Amino acid sequence: MVRYDVVIIGGGIIGAACAAELAGRGRRVALVERGRVASGTSAHCEGNLLVSDKGPGAELELSKLANAAWSTLAGTFRDELGHDFPDIEFEAKGGLVVATTDGGAAALLDFASTQRHAQVAAEPVTHAEARELEPWITERMTAAVWYPGDSQVQPTIATEALVALARARGASILEHHDVVGAIREAGRIVGVRTSAGDVRGAEIVVAAGPWSGEVSATLGVPLPVRPRRGVVLVTSKMPQRVFHKVYDADYVGAVGSGDAVLMTSSVVESTPGGTVLIGSSREQIGFDDAFRANVLSQLAVKAISIFPFLAQTAVIRSYSGFRPFMPDHLPLIGQDARLPGLWHATGHEGAGIGLSLPTASLIGDLMDGRSTQIDAALFSPTRPTLARELEAVA
């Protein structure tokens, strides 16, 4: 039996990024996925790479690292994969956040001020300047802030590119391997039992997105990662009328909320294919993926409030996915002190696409015993802010 240096559980973008990073550092890596890679959360989202929705703190610092990492990857990944590989559609398009009420305007401008103190480019713009950026935007805006650092990527293709990079660097990609238990020796995890056989490794990384809570519990070390459902609408193709990532100021509050009830806000962006993506919603209903017309209705109404022309646009489909929610809104990145050999790279909720690359770098540096670019303790799976939740799931 092959014994790997690292076994990574989860074939979404976080697991794929970790596999590519660690294989690139010379480790023998196995990426274990219960179905097909790039088929879960990473295939059911918008591909946001945002700094505009994060206040000062650990996640914002990780996001600032992400922008540079994605820009570099967009220019270099074909050096290893060849120029026939599909483009990951990285667009450093910038983002415009708008308010349509006086209260929303004050909150938006205050939030932008805190970000500027954290060295984020957050530039208040006049009504006329906002209309230059987005000629079709509502006349009802009361404030607008321009974020040149916001970007996007095509999430499924980006995940597949990272899987391909991992494979090119020597990683084994083991699909249809559902993890059913842990292999322990002398108090340490040394592998996983799967539906397709045992997979052994010196280090095990849980990167299973919203299923990480279930996987960790299966390994005997529960975590308070819960699924949070989100829905996206897709319009018919049209001449381009949305030129940047545009969302209303309510989005920041929805991202930072821990409420289980349905929350919606307007996030609108064009794709290179000519469609417009409309989000976003958040609700904690387990893994219930049932169609709910009220969610789609709320998304449509809020999108029209930002771009009135959308009222005359056909919606051709919708899709939904589950994000890995953490009670303190910070991802889990690092070694689990409760079980030697176990690591986590999960809990990013809606920021996982953007944060995948710096997460993988952080995991790599920690495994190598190197100094990290940011304080890794802030993301520790056993950090003090999670003590109560860890007790609850134990």
Side-chain angles (χ1 to χ4, degrees):
M1 176 185 293
V2 176
R3 182 178 175 88
Y4 297 95
D5 297 319
V6 184
V7 177
I8 300 168
I9 304 170
I13 197 161
I14 300 293
C18 289
E21 177 72 22
L22 294 172
R25 295 184 184 219
R27 284 181 166 80
R28 290 176 300 170
V29 174
L31 180 64
V32 175
E33 164 57 41
R34 67 178 181 176
R36 299 295 300 273
V37 296
S39 64
T41 296
S42 299
H44 296 84
C45 58
E46 294 173 280
N48 291 334
L49 314 177
L50 303 182
V51 294
S52 56
D53 63 340
K54 299 170 182 67
E59 192 177 30
L60 178 59
E61 296 308 308
L62 201 62
S63 295
K64 290 194 287 187
L65 296 178
N67 275 355
W70 277 106
S71 180
T72 299
L73 181 69
T76 62
F77 78 101
R78 285 201 179 101
D79 293 344
E80 292 184 65
L81 300 183
H83 288 274
D84 291 335
F85 198 92
D87 187 61
I88 63 174
E89 298 178 12
F90 172 75
E91 293 184 86
K93 59 169 59 177
L96 185 68
V97 185
V98 300
T100 56
T101 65
D102 290 338
L108 171 59
L109 295 174
D110 286 346
F111 183 73
S113 177
T114 67
Q115 291 177 299
R116 286 194 295 277
H117 285 105
Q119 286 73 55
V120 171
E123 306 165 7
V125 293
T126 65
H127 189 284
E129 290 168 334
R131 296 282 290 183
E132 287 182 10
L133 290 165
E134 294 291 343
W136 296 86
I137 204 165
T138 180
E139 294 279 359
R140 295 177 52 247
M141 77 182 90
T142 53
V145 178
W146 167 243
Y147 288 89
D150 280 356
S151 307
Q152 81 178 59
V153 71
Q154 211 295 331
T156 306
I157 300 174
T159 304
E160 291 171 342
L162 289 167
V163 171
L165 284 173
R167 185 182 282 114
R169 295 169 182 176
S172 297
I173 311 300
L174 307 179
E175 296 181 311
H176 305 294
H177 281 61
D178 190 10
V179 173
V180 297
I183 304 172
R184 299 193 187 200
E185 293 178 0
R188 181 183 181 88
I189 187 169
V190 295
V192 293
R193 302 196 184 282
T194 82
S195 56
D198 294 351
V199 184
R200 287 181 168 262
E203 312 285 348
I204 311 298
V205 181
V206 175
W211 295 273
S212 295
E214 294 182 358
V215 170
S216 297
T218 298
L219 300 179
V221 186
L223 288 174
V225 182
R226 302 193 297 270
R228 203 179 192 190
R229 188 188 187 212
V231 177
V232 176
L233 304 180
V234 184
T235 73
S236 58
K237 292 184 179 182
M238 67 181 78
Q240 189 171 11
R241 294 181 180 177
V242 182
F243 299 92
H244 307 91
K245 191 175 294 291
V246 183
Y247 63 85
D248 69 57
D250 290 343
Y251 179 76
V252 174
V255 169
S257 171
D259 288 348
V261 299
L262 174 65
M263 301 183 70
T264 58
S265 56
S266 181
V267 182
V268 184
E269 62 187 302
S270 294
T271 71
T275 60
V276 172
L277 304 182
I278 298 171
S280 71
S281 69
R282 283 171 165 77
E283 57 183 332
Q284 292 184 43
I285 51 175
F287 286 104
D288 181 357
D289 199 24
F291 176 85
R292 289 176 174 80
N294 68 307
V295 179
L296 275 59
S297 176
Q298 288 188 34
L299 292 178
V301 167
K302 292 193 173 184
I304 291 168
S305 73
I306 301 298
F307 286 105
F309 79 86
L310 289 171
Q312 309 302 319
T313 302
V315 171
I316 59 173
R317 68 184 180 95
S318 67
Y319 61 89
S320 63
F322 299 99
R323 287 50 167 149
F325 171 81
M326 284 296 299
D328 65 353
H329 301 288
L330 284 177
L332 299 162
I333 307 170
Q335 192 165 17
D336 195 321
R338 299 170 297 173
L339 181 58
L342 183 65
W343 297 71
H344 300 287
T346 187
H348 301 75
E349 202 185 329
I353 301 299
L355 299 183
S356 58
L357 299 184
T359 292
S361 294
L362 192 55
I363 288 286
D365 288 342
L366 290 169
M367 283 192 178
D368 286 346
R370 298 180 184 176
S371 59
T372 56
Q373 291 180 277
I374 56 178
D375 185 1
L378 298 171
F379 306 101
S380 168
T382 47
R383 56 186 178 260
T385 56
L386 289 181
R388 183 180 304 174
E389 285 78 11
L390 289 170
E391 290 178 5
V393 298

